[in-house]
Amino acid sequence: MNIFRILHHYLVPHEGNNHRAKALHHEALLAYILILGIFNLSIKVLNHKAPDVLGYATDIRVEQLLSDTNAEREKLGLSPLTLNSTLSQAAAAKAADMFANGYWAHNSPQGKTPWDFILGAGYHYTLAGENLAKNFQTSDGVVSAWMASPSHKANIVKAGYRDIGFAVVNGVLNGEETTLVVQMFGASNAAPVAAIPKVQAAAPLPAKTVVPNEPTAQASAPAMAVSQQKPVDTAPSALVQGVKMSPLVNISGLTHQVGYIFIGLLIGVLAVDAYVVSRRRIVRLVGHNIAHILFLVTILVCGLTLVRGSLI
């Protein structure tokens, strides 16, 4: 059997395969799941063994996060926020606590809230908020995801905030390599804390006498976490820089390519199947339509898995 016959048998419905391409049989679905499972497992193993060779490319800069955040505020006529070293230290402490205790939430398993970290760093607020993100690759991607979420957007465009702090760190959180971004907002009646150098201060907004009982916005999407053994550097110079990683092979790019090829193959086979059945007026049992539905669901699931970032 030559290669043409093999492709014809697996991709085109005809009498020899009971008028259904072998690629659309129920058995094929199990094979696809197995192949994709082995592929994902191999990626994780190779990433763990050689992260510099096969890893997640990341370029998230604090200065870009600040610029993008203030750009969104300025679109609404709001004053830009000042990058505040105390809030950045609070954000770094929150990130370190998430890595150390293995959680991804606003409140820690021990009951610590964002306000505990903000007050612990020495920032006495009248108004405060927190956004979280993980598994994003770029600064623009982080801010865009926050703006697409009503609760996170509410923090970014809240008129009462005057100051902002960021922590961007790489590492492993709950066994997953990720980049974690913590964004903290605040307003205070106290004397202003010196902003991190090289960042232009913004005109302060009137302080509000409001103390929130919960994060004014919920945590945002993805990024890389720091290993639990590696402490987070809370020095202002470290917090300004952000994170940049450039492995030889970018896992996100690789998985996207494989995913698109797989999705394209399934869609192509389904299209050929529909065309041939319609052209030849082939009548099949209703049960065969279930297989089509399963494959369409598989395509949808594969498409969703191409997006690594997530929001909480």
Side-chain angles (χ1 to χ4, degrees), residues 116 126 224 229:
D116 293 323
T126 56
M224 285 188 161
Q229 293 77 19

Side-chain angles (χ1 to χ4, degrees), residues 38-125:
I38 293 174
F39 173 76
N40 288 328
L41 180 61
S42 300
I43 288 290
K44 289 183 179 181
V45 171
L46 292 174
N47 172 239
H48 180 72
K49 297 292 184 181
D52 294 335
V53 177
L54 185 65
Y56 291 100
T58 304
D59 189 2
I60 300 179
R61 305 284 181 164
V62 169
E63 290 182 353
Q64 188 62 48
L65 290 171
L66 176 65
S67 175
D68 290 348
T69 297
N70 280 333
E72 296 295 342
R73 291 176 61 86
E74 289 168 3
K75 289 177 183 178
L76 300 177
L78 301 173
S79 298
L81 300 175
T82 301
L83 186 60
N84 183 282
S85 61
T86 304
L87 281 179
S88 291
Q89 290 167 6
K94 173 62 179 289
D97 192 66
M98 283 192 284
F99 299 139
N101 294 290
Y103 69 96
W104 169 238
H106 286 297
N107 298 335
S108 75
Q110 292 74 30
K112 294 186 70 174
T113 68
W115 329 128
D116 293 323
F117 294 102
I118 293 174
L119 291 173
Y123 187 94
H124 300 283
Y125 63 87

Side-chain angles (χ1 to χ4, degrees), residues 193-221:
V193 179
I196 296 177
K198 298 183 181 180
V199 177
Q200 185 176 359
L205 293 171
K208 289 187 177 181
T209 57
V210 177
V211 179
N213 294 321
E214 59 183 9
T216 58
Q218 295 183 356
S220 150

Side-chain angles (χ1 to χ4, degrees), residues 138-215:
T138 64
S139 306
D140 292 344
V142 174
V143 176
S144 294
W146 279 334
M147 290 300 294
S149 167
S151 56
H152 300 93
K153 178 180 178 179
N155 262 344
I156 291 176
V157 301
K158 186 179 289 292
Y161 292 139
R162 294 180 298 179
D163 303 318
I164 192 170
F166 293 97
V168 184
V169 283
N170 273 355
V172 177
L173 180 65
N174 295 329
E176 179 188 23
E177 184 182 1
T178 184
T179 299
L180 183 64
V181 182
V182 181
Q183 181 185 47
M184 287 186 167
F185 305 85
S188 173
N189 285 326
V193 179
I196 296 177
K198 298 183 181 180
V199 177
Q200 185 176 359
L205 293 171
K208 289 187 177 181
T209 57
V210 177
V211 179
N213 294 321
E214 59 183 9

Side-chain angles (χ1 to χ4, degrees), residues 234-285:
T234 58
S237 59
L239 298 175
V240 166
Q241 295 174 359
V243 164
K244 183 173 183 178
M245 296 181 65
S246 301
L248 187 62
V249 178
N250 180 15
I251 291 178
S252 293
L254 177 63
T255 54
H256 275 66
Q257 291 174 4
V258 171
Y260 288 136
I261 291 173
F262 180 70
I263 291 173
L265 175 63
L266 286 183
I267 292 177
V269 174
L270 284 170
V272 170
D273 182 79
Y275 173 79
V276 172
V277 168
S278 175
R279 187 70 181 267
R280 297 179 181 177
R281 297 182 179 179
I282 298 172
V283 178
R284 296 190 298 210
L285 296 176

